[in-house]
Amino acid sequence: MAYWTNLQMLRSSLAVKPTEKSKVTVFYNFLRSNTEIPASTVFSGRGRDRGHLPQLRLDYAFNKNVTAYILGEYFVPGNVYLNKDNAVFVRCEVQVKF
């Protein structure tokens, strides 16, 4: 379980099933702070904009016992962060049920 005290997230998604065994989902996340970060903070920027986080997830079911997905994320930081470098995250998972 996770607990965030200064985070709001607005999320929209769209899912499409091009075949019976596959699914493509696109997510868009807009991240904000509940409270504005003060200018006196040395380790962060200031403001309420935490950034944008678009995601793409590709799911595939090989059969009823083996499924897999690939998830890609591209984070564009907002004015809350001092480091303004964009970030990419990719994860894949294969699940075998028996």
Side-chain angles (χ1 to χ4, degrees):
M1 183 171 117
Y3 181 70
W4 292 79
T5 58
N6 195 19
L7 178 69
Q8 296 174 2
M9 182 174 79
L10 300 172
R11 181 178 199 167
S12 63
S13 63
L14 174 67
V16 180
K17 286 194 73 149
T19 67
E20 187 176 312
K21 292 185 171 193
S22 64
K23 179 176 157 187
V24 178
T25 310
V26 177
F27 301 97
Y28 171 73
N29 306 289
F30 177 61
L31 309 169
R32 290 190 43 88
S33 295
N34 291 326
T35 59
E36 185 164 339
I37 306 299
S40 62
T41 305
V42 176
F43 299 107
S44 67
R46 60 179 292 177
R48 293 184 64 183
D49 182 11
R50 287 194 175 269
H52 305 271
L53 182 64
Q55 299 171 304
L56 176 66
R57 180 175 167 144
L58 308 171
D59 291 270
Y60 191 79
F62 294 97
N63 56 47
K64 69 178 188 171
N65 294 323
V66 180
T67 60
Y69 76 84
I70 297 174
L71 174 69
E73 300 181 348
Y74 186 72
F75 179 62
V76 181
N79 58 12
V80 168
Y81 304 103
L82 286 178
N83 184 352
K84 301 291 188 198
D85 293 340
N86 296 349
V88 175
F89 175 77
V90 178
R91 172 177 58 204
C92 63
E93 177 180 302
V94 176
Q95 204 173 67
V96 179
K97 303 170 193 166
F98 53 92

